[in-house]
C-alpha cells in the first residue's frame, strides 16, 4: 500500500480556507486518494475521494497533482467545527478495500 | 438515523472478563469492517465481512478476539479474557457494494479494561 505523508499539525483562522497537503509519491495507478476526518472521540467521517481529477462536494475540494504524487484537501471557509484530525489515505482497489490510516494532520481552526 | 450504529458506546470491564460489542451497518451495505484505535493513533484494521463471510483478519486479531456476522446484517466483536492492552476505541464501518466501496463509520465503542 502506498504510504502517505502529512504534516502533524496546522492551524487556520475561522472563515479562511484551510489547505491540507498530503504526499503519496508511491501511489499506483489503481489507488484512490481518500480523505477522512475525526473529531475528538467520534468515528472517522468520510469527506471526499478521487483518482485523477479534482473533485468537489458540499464539504470540501480535492486537488490531485497531474503526476498523482500529492494532493491537497481544501476546506473553503473553515469553521470552529472543522477542528479535527484529517487523514489522507491511499486505498488500493483490491479485494478488501481496507483503509490504512496514518497519523493524520491535526487541524486547529482559530476564532 | 440511517447511519452505522454501535452498542454500547462505552464499556468498563475488569481484566479477565469477556466483552461483546455490536455493530449495525447501513442497510443494504454488504461489507462490514472492524477497526481498533488506541489513544493518539489512527484506526487499525482488524477484520472485514462480505455478507456473512469473514474474508480477512489482521494479525492484530489474536485468538482472544472473535467476530461474527451471522445473517449478513449486524455484527458482533467479542473479546475473551480481556487485558489492559485491549483498552481502545473499537470502530465499525460499512460500505455499499457499488462503486469504490466508500466506508462509513459508526461512533465507536470505547473500552476501558481495569
Amino acid at each position: 500500500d502506498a504510504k502517505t505523508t502529512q504534516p502533524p499539525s496546522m492551524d487556520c483562522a475561522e472563515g479562511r480556507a484551510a489547505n491540507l497537503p498530503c504526499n503519496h509519491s508511491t501511489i499506483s495507478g489503481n489507488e484512490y486518494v481518500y480523505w477522512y476526518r475525526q473529531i475528538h472521540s467520534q468515528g472517522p467521517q468520510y469527506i471526499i475521494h478521487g483518482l485523477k481529477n479534482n473533485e468537489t462536494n458540499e464539504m470540501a475540494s480535492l486537488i490531485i497533482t497531474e503526476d498523482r504524487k500529492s494532493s491537497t484537501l481544501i476546506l473553503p471557509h473553515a469553521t470552529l467545527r472543522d477542528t479535527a484530525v484529517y487523514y489522507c489515505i491511499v486505498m488500493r482497489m483490491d479485494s478488501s478495500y481496507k483503509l490504512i490510516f496514518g497519523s493524520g494532520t491535526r487541524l486547529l481552526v482559530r476564532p | 438515523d440511517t447511519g452505522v450504529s454501535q452498542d454500547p458506546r462505552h464499556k468498563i470491564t475488569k481484566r479477565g472478563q469477556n466483552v461483546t460489542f455490536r455493530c449495525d451497518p447501513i442497510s443494504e451495505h454488504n461489507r462490514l469492517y472492524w477497526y481498533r484505535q488506541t489513544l493518539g493513533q489512527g484506526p487499525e484494521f482488524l477484520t472485514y465481512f462480505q455478507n456473512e463471510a469473514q474474508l480477512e483478519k489482521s494479525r492484530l486479531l489474536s485468538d482472544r478476539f472473535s467476530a461474527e456476522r451471522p445473517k449478513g446484517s449486524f455484527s458482533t466483536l467479542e473479546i475473551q479474557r480481556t487485558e489492559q492492552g485491549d483498552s481502545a476505541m473499537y470502530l465499525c464501518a460499512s460500505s455499499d457494494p457499488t462503486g469504490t466501496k466508500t466506508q462509513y463509520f459508526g461512533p465507536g465503542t470505547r473500552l476501558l479494561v481495569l
Side-chain angles (χ1 to χ4, degrees):
Chain A
D1 296 307
K3 181 178 172 59
T4 62
T5 304
Q6 298 178 255
S9 64
M10 295 181 63
D11 67 76
C12 74
E14 187 178 20
R16 304 300 293 269
N19 297 293
L20 290 88
C22 179
N23 181 286
H24 31 79
S25 57
T26 60
I27 193 169
S28 299
N30 66 341
E31 292 179 321
Y32 280 71
V33 179
Y34 269 77
W35 283 83
Y36 283 80
R37 72 180 182 184
Q38 190 170 26
I39 297 169
H40 183 62
S41 296
Q42 297 182 21
Q45 178 187 23
Y46 166 74
I47 301 174
I48 199 168
H49 73 277
L51 181 63
K52 296 180 183 179
N53 300 320
N54 298 337
E55 302 287 345
T56 295
N57 63 20
E58 65 278 5
M59 288 184 68
S61 294
L62 174 60
I63 308 298
I64 302 174
T65 58
E66 193 169 344
D67 62 8
R68 304 213 317 127
K69 293 185 177 182
S70 65
S71 61
T72 301
L73 179 75
I74 301 172
L75 308 177
H77 305 287
T79 71
L80 299 179
R81 288 182 295 181
D82 293 322
T83 291
V85 178
Y86 287 76
Y87 295 99
C88 169
I89 301 165
V90 170
M91 187 168 79
R92 177 185 300 176
M93 295 288 122
D94 63 7
S95 58
S96 73
Y97 299 86
K98 61 180 178 281
L99 298 171
I100 309 296
F101 289 80
S103 300
T105 295
R106 186 171 298 275
L107 175 68
L108 174 65
V109 180
R110 295 178 279 102
Chain B
D1 184 20
T2 58
V4 178
S5 61
Q6 294 187 245
D7 183 70
R9 295 290 309 277
H10 304 273
K11 179 72 177 178
I12 300 174
T13 191
K14 293 182 179 179
R15 189 176 51 187
Q17 298 294 304
N18 299 343
V19 294
T20 300
F21 310 139
R22 176 180 170 125
C23 171
D24 286 88
I26 295 170
S27 61
E28 300 177 355
H29 278 193
N30 69 339
R31 288 183 174 228
L32 187 149
Y33 298 78
W34 286 99
Y35 293 82
R36 182 174 72 183
Q37 184 174 26
T38 53
L39 211 57
Q41 304 296 316
E44 297 172 290
F45 169 78
L46 291 178
T47 188
Y48 92 99
F49 294 83
Q50 179 164 302
N51 300 314
E52 66 276 6
Q54 187 174 18
L55 297 184
E56 186 173 337
K57 293 192 287 188
S58 161
R59 286 173 293 177
L60 294 174
L61 214 64
S62 76
D63 55 8
R64 296 184 298 105
F65 288 69
S66 62
E68 293 184 342
R69 194 182 183 200
K71 296 183 180 180
S73 57
F74 73 91
S75 175
T76 58
L77 178 67
E78 181 183 18
I79 309 175
Q80 296 182 327
R81 304 180 303 281
T82 52
E83 302 173 355
Q84 288 184 324
D86 297 331
S87 295
M89 172 86 90
Y90 290 84
L91 293 158
C92 175
S94 69
S95 69
D96 66 48
T98 61
T100 55
K101 320 287 191 291
T102 298
Q103 293 179 36
Y104 298 90
F105 284 80
T109 294
R110 186 170 294 281
L111 172 67
L112 178 61
V113 181
L114 301 176

